[in-house]
Amino acid sequence: MTRMLETKLRISRALTSVGVARDWLLSRRVAGRHAADFDQIERYLMFAGYPRSGHSLVGSLLNAHPDVVVSHQLNALRYVENGFSRAQLFGMIFLSDARFEKKGRTGTKREYDYAVPGQWQGRYRTLRVIGDKRGKGSSQAIGADPQLLANLRDLVKVPVRCLHVLRNPYDSITTMSKRTRSPLDRTADRFFRLADGVVTIRSLLPPEAWHDLRHEDLIADPRAAVAGLCTFLGIEPHPDYLDACAGIIYQTPHRSRFDREWSPELIGAVARRSAAYDFFSGYVYDEEPAGRP
């Protein structure tokens, strides 16, 4: 390891330590104000999966339900690792959601608007489900240390539900590659390491605690897809809520795989690797997008 890299790592660890210490104090204040609401929670929701697969959209749709609060970019497992209490973890979820609300619920580069008009984002009626949408972080952390999931379950003291949001692997890999400016082949390696983490998480949960949601299915029939999420989480799929969610979803998925040049060899390699995972069944490079008329 070079001296420059060692210095960067030390700085990163120091900044992380300062941030966790700050969050420790902030979370205690928030937790004290919402203790009664935390007692009403029935389920904890975590995400598993990959960047650029629709986690932000799905998390925002769920956050618009009157009985759900889902944080946007928290990485909740970091607080489990650092010894935060149950109330402090939930307090950090509240803080993350409040910060995203203050930003206007737009994407990092303001290319997406995740606001669901007329619904419950930034507030709630009865807090029955709470969670964090950081799917990549969960896949990485639990893939490396499966004990983290057991620690999370012990901490939250309610049933844990895991939502696996996925899309065509070629689209996910392409968009990840564009965002990180990495070659497609290296990005594919990262993508399948995350898929291994997904497999690990699923193996540690009972079947009723797991739900696969394909991005393409959400776009093809958003009302049915969101209603299915409500059933999974044990919350009411109110018709006006389903209509509002459907109203912000694109008519057709973006096939980003065609924004980059894929070699026939790499297309074949991704197809072979995808075949090892049952949840990628049916995805091919040249498929037509599912959409709504």
Side-chain angles (χ1 to χ4, degrees):
M1 184 182 298
T2 67
R3 184 174 299 177
M4 180 177 293
L5 181 56
E6 289 176 346
T7 301
K8 287 182 177 179
L9 287 172
R10 283 197 299 269
I11 293 172
S12 176
R13 293 189 189 106
L15 291 174
T16 298
S17 178
V18 170
V20 169
R22 177 203 61 209
D23 290 343
W24 179 278
L25 297 174
L26 289 173
S27 62
R28 292 187 66 178
R29 296 174 193 168
V30 176
R33 295 196 298 267
H34 296 278
D37 295 322
F38 295 162
D39 289 340
Q40 298 177 322
I41 293 171
E42 299 171 0
R43 292 172 182 83
Y44 181 88
L45 175 64
M46 61 178 287
F47 282 56
Y50 331 87
R52 322 314 306 170
S53 296
H55 292 90
S56 295
L57 172 61
V58 176
S60 294
L61 297 177
L62 288 172
N63 202 37
H65 192 281
D67 300 338
V68 179
V69 173
V70 175
S71 52
H72 178 61
Q73 287 283 26
L74 181 61
N75 195 9
L77 289 174
R78 178 174 69 164
Y79 300 102
V80 177
E81 291 177 301
N82 280 279
F84 279 51
S85 69
R86 177 182 190 267
Q88 285 179 289
L89 173 63
F90 295 163
M92 287 307 305
I93 290 172
F94 270 39
L95 282 169
S96 174
D97 181 53
R99 290 164 182 162
F100 194 40
E101 178 74 16
K102 187 175 182 180
K103 286 175 57 180
R105 298 195 178 273
T106 59
T108 305
K109 297 185 178 180
R110 299 191 177 276
E111 70 274 54
Y112 301 114
D113 184 352
Y114 297 114
V116 182
Q119 298 304 304
W120 289 76
Q121 289 170 319
R123 58 198 181 103
Y124 56 91
R125 181 182 59 193
T126 303
L127 187 58
R128 298 176 59 196
V129 178
I130 195 168
D132 178 38
K133 73 93 188 170
R134 191 74 179 269
K136 171 190 172 184
S138 299
S139 300
Q140 285 179 324
I142 297 174
D145 181 8
Q147 181 61 36
L148 262 179
L149 180 56
N151 294 345
L152 172 68
R153 297 168 78 178
D154 289 344
L155 181 66
V156 299
K157 296 181 174 64
V158 293
V160 170
R161 295 291 180 260
C162 187
L163 177 55
H164 176 218
V165 182
L166 65 157
R167 66 189 287 203
N168 188 300
Y170 296 99
D171 289 331
S172 291
I173 292 168
T174 300
T175 310
M176 288 169 62
S177 173
K178 288 168 61 179
R179 286 301 177 96
T180 60
R181 299 181 181 179
S182 299
L184 287 170
D185 56 349
R186 292 185 187 175
T187 306
D189 290 339
R190 289 175 47 223
F191 177 82
F192 287 111
R193 284 196 294 271
L194 292 172
D196 289 339
V198 169
V199 171
T200 296
I201 296 171
R202 187 174 66 173
S203 72
L204 298 171
L205 292 170
E208 66 272 14
W210 186 268
H211 187 81
D212 291 311
L213 176 61
R214 293 194 174 202
H215 182 67
E216 296 83 2
D217 292 342
L218 174 64
I219 290 176
D221 193 346
R223 289 171 182 81
V226 176
L229 293 177
C230 291
T231 299
F232 172 61
L233 294 172
I235 54 179
E236 184 68 26
H238 307 289
D240 61 332
Y241 162 71
L242 297 181
D243 290 343
C245 289
I248 74 163
I249 297 175
Y250 294 150
Q251 294 290 317
T252 56
H254 175 56
R255 295 190 295 172
S256 57
R257 74 201 89 144
F258 299 130
D259 295 341
R260 297 285 297 272
E261 186 70 29
W262 281 77
S263 70
E265 293 78 15
L266 186 55
I267 291 173
V270 168
R272 288 189 295 273
R273 297 177 75 173
S274 295
Y277 307 89
D278 61 332
F279 41 77
F280 291 140
S281 176
Y283 281 127
V284 296
Y285 177 76
D286 57 355
E287 70 174 352
E288 290 299 316
R292 304 195 301 281

